[in-house]
């Protein structure tokens, strides 16, 4: 299956057609990257490299859109083998970025061909295996659903590709189309994207390492999560209580000022950090608004960031032992 056949036979805006549009960009960037002298024209090399690294959007679309549809058809190979290939290329990008930051020009010239070769091999596998099989396995309905999800991830293209099919884009928060699911929808509710039962939502909120409190538009506390270890104590008695009675006198004025600023639309977020029981606590307030920017309440998040502040470098392996 050659490029010409793909671009001619596929409708404009079709996900695979867009992949081939990106391929033309990638091939040009690979040629330019190999041709430029990184030491003599470092800024030019950097610009080309940065453009090429937007290939991450292509990887993300495959991993989060294309692969799941193929899994539903029983083809799990891309989710395993090709995803690992993506990760190898991501590591090569990281290595070259370190070389660039350190101005290690000899290493840049040594490592660049490996990145170019890896990307070229990946696109060859896409042409000969991934896309032909995907086109055989997936229906037009699948491709249309896939394209809707791609809007959230983006493309390497300078402009948004043509719609597929030619319909108005619907934001996920307003998308209530029924889809075939691989799990039971019994007792679930539909959220911006996905379905969960009340039990699952409750477990999610209890497990998050955050203290979360929600105050509605009438300044009444209507919810807080009950995690195992809370930063600040809460009890069921605050449910339905006015928020001004839930804070000590010395801080209630600040809280009310925040809420008023959220209500009149002049602010959307406020942040504080304090030392509490020898721990560093990060406290954030967020205005909650609907699709029309109408004020619906405020979320208060508190998080112990003492250990997070100590993080340095990277950790890519488990340290359970």
């Amino acid at each position: 299956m050659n490029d010409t056949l793909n671009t001619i036979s596929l409708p404009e805006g079709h996900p695979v057609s867009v992949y081939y549009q990106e391929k033309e960009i990638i091939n040009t960037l690979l040629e330019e990257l190999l041709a430029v002298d990184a030491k003599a024209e470092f800024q030019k090399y950097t610009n080309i490299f940065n453009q090429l690294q937007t290939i991450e959007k292509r990887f993300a679309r495959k991993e989060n859109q294309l692969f799941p549809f193929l899994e539903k058809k029983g083809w799990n190979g891309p989710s395993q083998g090709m995803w690992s290939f993506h990760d190898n290329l991501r590591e090569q990008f990281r290595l070259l970025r370190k070389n660039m930051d350190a101005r290690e020009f000899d290493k840049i010239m040594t490592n660049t061909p490996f990145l170019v070769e890896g990307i070229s091999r990946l696109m060859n596998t896409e042409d000969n295996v991934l896309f032909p099989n995907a086109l055989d396995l997936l229906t037009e309905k699948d491709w249309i659903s896939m394209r809707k999800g791609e809007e959230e991830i983006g493309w390497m293209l300078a402009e948004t590709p043509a719609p597929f099919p030619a319909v108005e884009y619907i934001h996920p928060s307003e998308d209530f189309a029924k889809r075939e699911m691989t799990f039971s929808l019994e007792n679930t509710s539909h959220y911006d994207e996905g379905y969960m039962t009340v039990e699952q939502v409750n477990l999610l909120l209890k497990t998050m390492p955050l203290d979360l409190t929600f105050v509605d538009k009438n300044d009444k506390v209507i919810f807080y999560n009950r995690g195992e270890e809370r930063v600040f104590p809460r009890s069921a008695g605050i449910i339905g209580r006015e928020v001004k009675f839930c804070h000590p006198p010395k801080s209630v004025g600040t809280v009310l000022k925040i809420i008023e600023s959220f209500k009149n639309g002049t602010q959307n977020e406020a942040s504080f950090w304090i030392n509490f029981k020898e721990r560093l606590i990060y406290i954030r307030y967020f205005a909650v608004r609907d699709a029309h920017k109408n004020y619906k309440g405020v979320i208060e998040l508190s998080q112990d960031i003492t250990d997070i502040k100590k993080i340095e470098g990277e950790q890519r392996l488990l340290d359970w032992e």
Side-chain angles (χ1 to χ4, degrees):
M1 182 175 288
N2 57 55
D3 295 7
T4 303
L5 177 62
N6 272 283
T7 54
I8 292 176
S9 62
L10 292 172
E12 189 177 14
H14 186 289
V16 176
S17 179
V18 176
Y19 279 120
Y20 276 90
Q21 286 181 261
E22 289 181 329
K23 182 185 175 183
E24 294 180 11
I25 296 172
I26 294 168
N27 281 333
T28 299
L29 291 172
L30 294 180
E31 292 176 4
E32 292 177 350
L33 199 67
L34 284 176
V36 69
D37 184 329
K39 186 173 183 179
E41 301 177 282
F42 183 65
Q43 187 57 56
K44 183 177 180 180
Y45 179 94
T46 301
N47 294 340
I48 299 169
F49 182 88
N50 289 341
Q51 285 183 271
L52 183 61
Q53 199 164 20
T54 64
I55 199 173
E56 173 60 35
K57 294 180 180 180
R58 182 184 179 93
F59 295 168
R61 291 203 319 279
K62 288 162 64 180
E63 294 164 357
N64 296 284
Q65 292 298 118
L66 178 56
F67 293 174
F69 277 90
L70 296 177
E71 290 167 12
K72 292 177 183 178
K73 303 295 183 179
W75 190 24
N76 299 321
S79 302
Q80 299 165 1
M82 188 165 282
W83 197 319
S84 296
F85 209 141
H86 291 172
D87 285 342
N88 289 337
L89 290 173
R90 287 175 173 123
E91 188 58 39
Q92 289 182 339
F93 272 112
R94 280 192 287 267
L95 176 61
L96 265 167
R97 181 67 72 180
K98 288 182 178 179
N99 297 154
M100 292 162 63
D101 290 343
R103 299 296 196 274
E104 297 171 331
F105 298 111
D106 289 342
K107 291 183 179 180
I108 291 174
M109 299 309 292
T110 298
N111 291 326
T112 296
F114 290 112
L115 176 65
V116 172
E117 180 187 2
I119 293 175
S120 298
R121 286 177 53 206
L122 174 66
M123 291 194 298
N124 185 60
T125 303
E126 291 173 348
D127 290 350
N128 295 306
V129 181
L130 179 65
F131 296 148
N133 286 335
L135 289 167
D136 288 339
L137 285 171
L138 302 181
T139 66
E140 183 177 16
K141 182 180 178 182
D142 293 328
W143 292 113
I144 292 172
S145 297
M146 187 187 308
R147 175 56 198 274
K148 289 180 181 178
E150 290 183 343
E151 301 277 353
E152 294 295 302
I153 299 172
W155 302 270
M156 296 179 69
L157 309 179
E159 298 180 356
T160 300
F164 175 75
V167 293
E168 182 181 357
Y169 167 61
I170 301 175
H171 190 276
S173 63
E174 300 174 347
D175 180 7
F176 300 103
K178 292 186 177 180
R179 297 175 173 82
E180 294 182 9
M181 294 296 168
T182 57
F183 55 90
S184 173
L185 297 182
E186 185 178 0
N187 297 323
T188 64
S189 296
H190 180 262
Y191 296 88
D192 269 5
E193 191 51 60
Y195 301 80
M196 296 179 73
T197 64
V198 171
E199 179 187 21
Q200 289 171 330
V201 172
N202 209 31
L203 289 171
L204 170 68
L205 293 168
K206 287 176 65 175
T207 305
M208 291 193 309
L210 300 166
D211 287 6
L212 184 154
T213 303
F214 183 56
V215 179
D216 71 6
K217 65 179 182 179
N218 298 313
D219 302 341
K220 299 292 182 65
V221 178
I222 63 170
F223 172 85
Y224 70 91
N225 64 334
R226 302 186 66 173
E228 293 295 326
E229 297 183 9
R230 292 194 57 87
V231 175
F232 301 115
R234 290 282 189 272
S235 70
I238 71 167
I239 301 299
R241 194 179 187 189
E242 285 192 53
V243 67
K244 66 182 179 181
F245 297 125
C246 300
H247 292 268
K250 64 180 180 180
S251 63
V252 68
T254 301
V255 173
L256 295 179
K257 180 179 180 180
I258 291 170
I259 293 176
E260 182 59 31
S261 297
F262 287 176
K263 285 182 177 180
N264 63 35
T266 58
Q267 299 292 336
N268 286 301
E269 178 183 347
S271 300
F272 306 89
W273 43 99
I274 63 172
N275 291 299
F276 182 72
K277 297 182 178 179
E278 299 183 353
R279 307 292 290 180
L280 182 60
I281 310 301
Y282 192 26
I283 305 168
R284 307 178 75 186
Y285 294 86
F286 297 93
V288 178
R289 305 187 190 281
D290 63 17
H292 303 290
K293 306 299 181 183
N294 296 314
Y295 176 79
K296 293 295 182 179
V298 56
I299 294 174
E300 177 187 343
L301 291 178
S302 300
Q303 183 179 15
D304 183 340
I305 61 169
T306 309
D307 297 326
I308 295 175
K309 285 276 290 180
K310 298 176 183 177
I311 293 176
E312 294 181 351
E314 297 181 349
Q315 178 171 306
R316 297 180 177 274
L317 302 176
L318 285 174
D319 62 350
W320 290 353
E321 297 181 357

